[in-house]
Amino acid sequence: MRALLVVNPRATTTSERARDVLVRALRSAVDLTVSYTERRGHATRLARDAAESGIDLVVTLGGDGTVNEAVNGLLTAPTALDGLSATPADRLPALAVVPGGSTNVFARALGMPRDWADGTSVILDGLRDGRHRVIGLGRADDRYFCFTAGLGWDAATIRRVEQSRLRGRTSTPALYMRATFGQFFTGLDRKDPPLTLERPDETPDTGLATVIVQNTAPWTYVGDRPVHLNPDASFDLGLDVTALRRLTIAAGARTVTQLAWRSGDPRGKQVLRLHDIAEFTVVASRPQPFQLDGDYLGERQKVHFVSVPSALRVIC
């Protein structure tokens, strides 16, 4: 079996020694090539080239951003678009994820352990036993996502965190919580919520302050705790949506409390929840922060979301 290991050298929870151990372990099971990312978006190019060259397996060592780039490389390779009878998962290399970031939501949602060494053992066992899982993905316009996307509050929170990291702060659960509270109480427009969610043959849902899309559960983690918005979201179904309507300070405080101290699952008349949706569009009256898989991608005024079933084989 031919495999490519895509390494983000800035991965926060691994060292050069750990990477050497990982490479030796993988080379005991596969014919391995190792490539290091050099810039944002480089993992996409590496994974696309691997798919075009007939590689059997792509392994990532990094955080959720590295995984998202690699997935987009695989799903946009010509191999993924060839043929009409088979799903992309049948035509593409399999994906294995070694957790190397600060949160690793995708890997943990697949049931992978948080430690990179334990994760490597799971991958080696899966390769030996031929164990894999076929999962669906989400697509936002022309970009795929593994576990979440959002416009509004959550994306603005991620923007705050990324700005803090550029100033030298370390990514920790406490940093995310401060950014979440700060964005909610100082950056959320309660008087004129800008978002509308449109579904085919349905009445539009208007007056939304933020829209969060899930392709699996949980939505994220705070340390060891999973945070659930739509607990029934699944890789095997369509997309789930949680949207917050016009929120007063009191209603917002209750929602933030549910997110922070009750592991999520917010409820109330100002919360819109949708389950197993195949397709929808979010339109904003003014540009809104936008994120995919925890990466801030700038501002958007319209995003079309689609569920993509049976998109990828993953070793788990």
Side-chain angles (χ1 to χ4, degrees), residues 154-168:
D154 75 319
T157 297
I158 289 170
R159 178 175 60 189
R160 282 194 176 208
V161 170
E162 291 189 359
Q163 290 170 345
S164 295
R165 293 182 67 180
L166 288 174
R167 295 192 297 268

Side-chain angles (χ1 to χ4, degrees), residues 1 4 54 102 132 143 173 175 213 232 272 282 291 313 316:
M1 175 182 287
L4 170 69
S102 58
H132 70 270
R143 181 154 176 172
L175 177 61
V213 184
D232 295 327
L272 170 69
V282 179
Q291 66 89 10
R313 287 180 298 126
C316 59

Side-chain angles (χ1 to χ4, degrees), residues 8-10 36-46 69:
N8 180 353
R10 294 175 297 279
Y36 288 80
T37 60
E38 299 173 357
R39 59 193 176 275
R40 190 165 187 169
H42 193 194
T44 298
R45 179 73 263 174
L46 293 171
E69 288 187 11

Side-chain angles (χ1 to χ4, degrees), residues 187-257:
L188 192 63
D189 190 343
R190 296 179 181 81
K191 295 182 179 179
D192 186 22
L195 299 173
T196 295
L197 190 148
E198 301 174 347
R199 289 177 286 163
D201 303 319
E202 298 283 350
T203 302
D205 294 288
T206 61
L208 305 176
T210 191
V211 174
I212 298 170
V213 184
Q214 288 177 244
N215 186 49
T216 189
W219 167 46
T220 189
Y221 291 85
V222 177
D224 292 328
R225 281 195 303 120
V227 178
H228 291 287
L229 296 182
N230 271 305
D232 295 327
S234 170
F235 289 124
D236 302 319
L237 300 173
L239 301 174
D240 281 27
V241 175
T242 302
L244 304 181
R245 303 184 191 275
R246 191 188 308 271
L247 291 177
T248 64
I249 291 291
R254 286 195 298 271
T255 300
V256 173
T257 299

Side-chain angles (χ1 to χ4, degrees), residues 63-86:
D64 289 312
T66 304
V67 176
N68 178 275
E69 288 187 11
V71 166
N72 275 274
L74 294 175
L75 269 293
T76 56
T79 306
L81 307 175
D82 290 341
L84 298 176
S85 59

